Amino acid sequence: MKKILILLLMLVPLFTNAQNWFTADAISVGVGSEIGEWYECNARVFTNNEGDVKVYTSDNTIVYRRIGENYTKDEDDNGMSMAWKCVDDEGQRCMLSFNSYEGFLWLMIEYEEFTAFYHLIPDD
């Protein structure tokens, strides 16, 4: 029960405020939904209540804009996930999801060829 409460408290700001900031301290790039090796990173992630997400790195900013109003939400005893279709600033379509599982929070950006995973730490 305590784990469920912690997970909900981690995700509540993501779905209730107009904007949220996170620090991504690790990134992994894999094929399909398989997670590859994790590498340290120092990126900032911004999201607003429309589902738009910006990932700021030291040398680049990637903007993901939500397509449509539909989203999926999956929830069980170990975590939850919310996903929606997006397009990046180069016009590539992708599926973007925020996931929480057993106390971990990550952003998953799924393209046809690969998937990027960012481990997130919510800002206070």
Side-chain angles (χ1 to χ4, degrees):
M1 184 66 167
K2 186 176 179 181
K3 288 182 181 180
I4 294 172
L5 180 60
I6 291 170
L7 293 173
L8 289 174
L9 290 175
M10 286 175 60
L11 291 176
V12 164
L14 179 63
F15 308 117
T16 59
N17 291 338
Q19 60 184 7
N20 295 287
W21 284 96
F22 301 89
T23 298
D25 65 349
I27 185 172
S28 173
V29 177
V31 177
S33 61
E34 297 212 8
I35 298 174
E37 188 173 339
W38 287 96
Y39 298 95
E40 285 187 29
C41 74
N42 187 20
R44 300 281 292 149
V45 177
F46 169 82
T47 182
N48 62 24
N49 62 348
E50 285 86 32
D52 299 333
V53 174
K54 295 181 182 179
V55 178
Y56 299 92
T57 65
S58 60
D59 58 347
N60 197 12
T61 299
I62 306 168
V63 178
Y64 299 94
R65 301 206 186 285
R66 182 176 177 172
I67 301 172
E69 296 296 319
N70 296 330
Y71 68 93
T72 60
K73 180 178 177 182
D74 295 318
E75 188 173 359
D76 63 21
D77 292 339
N78 295 320
M80 95 177 358
S81 172
M82 288 189 70
W84 52 90
K85 293 179 183 177
C86 285
V87 63
D88 66 17
D89 41 355
E90 294 181 357
Q92 295 288 323
R93 290 180 178 255
C94 56
M95 181 66 85
L96 189 142
S97 65
F98 281 90
N99 306 279
S100 173
Y101 182 74
E102 294 186 351
F104 294 99
L105 179 63
W106 71 91
L107 169 66
M108 185 169 85
I109 305 162
E110 214 171 344
Y111 288 93
E112 191 172 309
E113 307 84 25
F114 69 94
T115 303
F117 301 87
Y118 290 93
H119 177 257
L120 300 178
I121 301 168
D123 287 0
D124 293 332

